[in-house]
Tab-separated table of all heavy atoms in Angstrom:
chain	number	residue	atom	x	y	z
I	7	VAL	N	-26.964	53.950	65.866
I	7	VAL	CA	-27.817	52.858	66.164
I	7	VAL	C	-28.393	52.246	64.879
I	7	VAL	O	-28.262	51.077	64.638
I	7	VAL	CB	-29.044	53.335	67.020
I	7	VAL	CG1	-30.009	52.246	67.285
I	7	VAL	CG2	-28.461	53.900	68.380
I	9	MET	N	-27.610	52.686	61.557
I	9	MET	CA	-26.699	52.148	60.544
I	9	MET	C	-26.038	50.820	60.892
I	9	MET	O	-25.935	49.852	60.133
I	9	MET	CB	-25.581	53.221	60.276
I	9	MET	CG	-26.048	54.372	59.463
I	9	MET	SD	-26.445	53.866	57.774
I	9	MET	CE	-24.892	53.445	57.178
I	11	ILE	N	-27.253	48.537	62.811
I	11	ILE	CA	-28.315	47.541	62.732
I	11	ILE	C	-28.535	47.037	61.291
I	11	ILE	O	-28.698	45.870	60.892
I	11	ILE	CB	-29.567	47.921	63.408
I	11	ILE	CG1	-29.402	47.984	64.935
I	11	ILE	CG2	-30.698	46.966	63.083
I	11	ILE	CD1	-30.542	48.642	65.629
I	12	ALA	N	-28.584	48.099	60.479
I	12	ALA	CA	-28.813	47.792	58.983
I	12	ALA	C	-27.723	46.917	58.389
I	12	ALA	O	-27.860	45.899	57.615
I	12	ALA	CB	-28.901	49.079	58.200
I	24	LEU	N	-25.359	32.059	51.338
I	24	LEU	CA	-24.216	31.232	51.119
I	24	LEU	C	-24.251	29.900	51.742
I	24	LEU	O	-23.963	28.821	51.194
I	24	LEU	CB	-22.934	31.970	51.624
I	24	LEU	CG	-22.518	33.279	50.871
I	24	LEU	CD1	-21.374	33.905	51.583
I	24	LEU	CD2	-22.164	32.895	49.424
I	52	GLY	N	-31.869	-1.425	6.358
I	52	GLY	CA	-32.737	-1.707	5.197
I	52	GLY	C	-31.807	-2.116	4.047
I	52	GLY	O	-30.681	-1.608	3.913
I	73	PRO	N	19.905	-0.109	-7.919
I	73	PRO	CA	20.908	-0.231	-9.071
I	73	PRO	C	21.071	-1.659	-9.508
I	73	PRO	O	20.702	-2.549	-8.859
I	73	PRO	CB	22.187	0.196	-8.273
I	73	PRO	CG	21.888	-0.042	-6.823
I	73	PRO	CD	20.477	0.248	-6.614
I	88	PHE	N	34.044	0.526	-23.039
I	88	PHE	CA	33.462	1.283	-24.067
I	88	PHE	C	32.969	2.737	-23.577
I	88	PHE	O	32.854	3.555	-24.352
I	88	PHE	CB	32.246	0.499	-24.747
I	88	PHE	CG	32.641	-0.716	-25.399
I	88	PHE	CD1	32.715	-1.944	-24.743
I	88	PHE	CD2	33.169	-0.711	-26.720
I	88	PHE	CE1	33.132	-3.092	-25.438
I	88	PHE	CE2	33.523	-1.879	-27.384
I	88	PHE	CZ	33.562	-3.063	-26.740
I	115	SER	N	49.206	-30.595	-37.084
I	115	SER	CA	49.809	-31.702	-37.787
I	115	SER	C	49.155	-33.017	-37.378
I	115	SER	O	49.370	-34.069	-37.969
I	115	SER	CB	51.341	-31.742	-37.520
I	115	SER	OG	51.556	-31.953	-36.185
I	186	VAL	N	-1.622	8.858	-9.562
I	186	VAL	CA	-0.716	9.293	-8.449
I	186	VAL	C	-0.730	10.825	-8.409
I	186	VAL	O	-0.577	11.465	-9.389
I	186	VAL	CB	0.701	8.792	-8.681
I	186	VAL	CG1	1.722	9.431	-7.768
I	186	VAL	CG2	0.857	7.314	-8.571
I	204	ASP	N	6.055	-7.656	-2.372
I	204	ASP	CA	7.308	-7.023	-2.015
I	204	ASP	C	8.116	-6.909	-3.255
I	204	ASP	O	8.238	-7.868	-3.998
I	204	ASP	CB	8.056	-7.776	-0.932
I	204	ASP	CG	7.375	-7.629	0.432
I	204	ASP	OD1	6.566	-6.700	0.556
I	204	ASP	OD2	7.831	-8.329	1.395
I	239	CYS	N	3.760	0.917	-8.604
I	239	CYS	CA	3.541	1.241	-9.971
I	239	CYS	C	4.708	2.014	-10.585
I	239	CYS	O	5.460	2.657	-9.787
I	239	CYS	CB	2.210	1.960	-10.229
I	239	CYS	SG	2.042	3.559	-9.465
I	251	LEU	N	9.830	11.661	-2.309
I	251	LEU	CA	8.615	12.478	-2.323
I	251	LEU	C	7.441	11.731	-1.818
I	251	LEU	O	7.198	10.517	-2.065
I	251	LEU	CB	8.321	12.901	-3.804
I	251	LEU	CG	9.213	14.013	-4.451
I	251	LEU	CD1	8.779	14.209	-5.826
I	251	LEU	CD2	8.929	15.390	-3.603
I	258	ASN	N	-8.700	2.731	-8.772
I	258	ASN	CA	-10.053	2.527	-9.030
I	258	ASN	C	-10.314	1.087	-9.482
I	258	ASN	O	-9.922	0.741	-10.663
I	258	ASN	CB	-10.587	3.485	-10.094
I	258	ASN	CG	-12.117	3.451	-10.291
I	258	ASN	OD1	-12.756	2.452	-9.794
I	258	ASN	ND2	-12.692	4.426	-10.983
I	264	ASP	N	-26.708	1.389	-9.243
I	264	ASP	CA	-28.062	0.921	-9.042
I	264	ASP	C	-28.093	-0.557	-8.718
I	264	ASP	O	-28.762	-1.335	-9.307
I	264	ASP	CB	-28.978	1.256	-10.381
I	264	ASP	CG	-30.341	1.024	-10.050
I	264	ASP	OD1	-30.826	1.255	-8.912
I	264	ASP	OD2	-31.089	0.611	-11.026
I	310	GLY	N	-29.765	-13.162	-3.055
I	310	GLY	CA	-30.135	-13.563	-1.701
I	310	GLY	C	-31.014	-12.610	-0.911
I	310	GLY	O	-31.630	-12.916	0.039
Side-chain angles (χ1 to χ4, degrees):
V7 178
M9 284 295 293
I11 293 174
L24 292 175
F88 293 95
S115 65
V186 170
D204 284 351
C239 60
L251 283 171
N258 189 344
D264 193 29

